[in-house]
Amino acid sequence: MTAHRGMEAAPSMRTGPDLTWARGLTDPADVRRYLTSRRETMPTRRVWRGRGGVWELPAAPTDLSGLPIERLRGRPETFKRMLETSDTDGIAVVHRGHVVHEYHRPGFAAHDPHLTTSMTKSVVGLAAAILVHDGVVDRRHPASRYVPEAAGTAFGDARVDDLLHMSTRVSYSGRIYHRRAEAQRLLAAVSPSARPFGYTGPGSIREHLATARATGPAGAEFRYENGNVEMVAEVLRRATGTTLADLVGELVWSRIGAEEDGYFVLDSDGTEMASGGFCATLRDVARLGEVLRCGGALGGRQALPAAVVTGLGARVPTGPGARVRPPNASPDSRSTLSYRDYWWVLDDPFGSYTATGIHGQMLFVSPGLELVVALYGSRVESPSVPAPAFVLACYQIGAHLGAFEPVPPP
């Protein structure tokens, strides 16, 4: 295969001095514009839905607006109030294969694509797990087996399995590691509009990865870092000889009865941003969740490998992904989750797991509760804006719907 350019060590002039980074968007309207306009402001690549028919999720409406939702702190609030106060752009609640509740904020239509932010990781992890299942990629190999010029970098020397479980320890360009700052720097490598005045850092994802050096052994500790996903995406490209967008289209999107194409945002090299650049409609994300809830089955056919899908909700028995805390949790909080192939496993009696992303993106899948919840949001990320407990709300919705028997559509 033709070697990709840019993975070799980036010139020292591009690493530049350390810079002061903004905290990000501070108005929900600006966040919403950012999340819904990627196709108009950046280069993108289509994720094809395929030639198959659309899987129409039947509707069985039930009014959840007045459902009391318990909060981690404070008094309960209604489900409607929770959506209104959390800058929710849209939500689709699917119970036993029926859409029981759906909401789109005015100005955000059902057919509008929305950036999924870090939910992208889970979609890429699913594609990677399928390729591992098919024998195309071996988890035991170092990433440099597939990307030779990455040898000697933190991600290139790590095993594919270490990357899929976020168990590398890295430093970029010799800086002291700071997760939020490095996430912003990756965005700057992808998007010129995210670069501060005088920026001299990496101009592409591959240049950014080339500056990573290990600060500890891989496979020893969980640390949530976008570079793991970007290197896995490069492994998938090299192992198959195709783009990440085409892979996700072939392995996932064309198999779930999606109504619309998805798309990835690209950097200046035409490389997809695998850690946070996938965009899709809310209904199609809900369709993906429902296929996963059903063990990979869609109607009478097996759309996704059953062994891959049923493994997502299984707790990782050993290794650093077996017991983790969310990336925004305080260091002294309890580790209550597991992490597998970029999915957060909730370790509950229902086999539930989630994909999540900044600003309020979530896909909740619970085979035991027979429930899927797809959520898009435009919440400002700030200590002064408390994050709503949407996972807790999903459990309460599941309990409420447990006795509900949807009426088949006419």
Side-chain angles (χ1 to χ4, degrees), residues 214-371:
T215 59
E221 180 181 340
F222 176 83
R223 190 164 80 173
Y224 191 84
E225 165 51 36
N226 291 324
N228 293 290
V229 196
E230 301 300 344
M231 181 54 73
V232 163
E234 190 67 16
V235 167
L236 304 188
R237 296 183 192 101
R238 301 299 184 88
T240 61
T242 190
T243 66
L244 182 64
D246 283 349
L247 274 176
V248 170
E250 175 188 348
L251 298 175
V252 180
W253 217 242
S254 65
R255 301 184 183 186
I256 63 169
E259 186 172 8
E260 305 282 351
D261 293 338
Y263 66 91
F264 273 98
V265 299
L266 308 176
D267 70 4
S268 59
D269 281 346
T271 301
E272 301 94 341
M273 186 180 183
S275 58
F278 180 61
C279 301
T281 66
L282 182 69
R283 266 289 183 107
D284 283 341
V285 170
R287 286 182 172 94
L288 172 61
E290 182 63 11
V291 170
L292 294 176
R293 183 189 73 83
C294 295
L298 194 167
R301 65 182 177 88
Q302 194 67 34
L304 303 175
V308 170
V309 176
T310 56
L312 289 179
R315 178 180 171 187
V316 181
T318 58
R323 187 59 67 184
V324 304
R325 61 175 65 90
N328 292 326
S330 61
D332 58 348
S333 63
R334 292 192 307 119
S335 299
T336 58
L337 307 174
S338 299
Y339 195 77
R340 183 184 184 89
D341 295 346
Y342 307 142
W343 291 83
W344 299 96
V345 183
L346 300 179
D347 292 339
D348 63 18
F350 314 110
S352 310
Y353 50 95
T354 67
T356 62
I358 194 172
H359 302 303
Q361 325 317 317
M362 185 185 73
L363 176 61
F364 175 90
V365 180
S366 182
L369 292 175
E370 301 177 288
L371 181 69

Side-chain angles (χ1 to χ4, degrees), residues 56-61 95-100 404-410:
E56 297 291 353
L57 290 171
H95 184 240
R96 298 175 182 167
H98 293 70
V99 180
V100 298
F404 172 72
E405 191 67 37
V407 178

Side-chain angles (χ1 to χ4, degrees), residues 152-209:
T153 68
F155 300 120
D157 291 348
R159 297 178 308 158
V160 173
D161 195 61
D162 297 328
L163 301 174
L164 283 167
H165 287 96
M166 296 279 191
S167 58
T168 59
R169 292 189 61 82
V170 304
S171 171
Y172 291 94
S173 298
R175 294 186 294 270
I176 296 175
Y177 181 81
H178 185 280
R179 183 180 62 82
R180 287 187 178 274
E182 295 305 343
Q184 188 66 28
R185 286 180 179 275
L186 174 61
L187 183 61
V190 174
S191 173
S193 65
R195 298 170 187 171
F197 179 75
Y199 177 80
T200 58
S204 68
I205 292 170
R206 294 188 181 108
E207 285 188 5
H208 177 75
L209 294 181

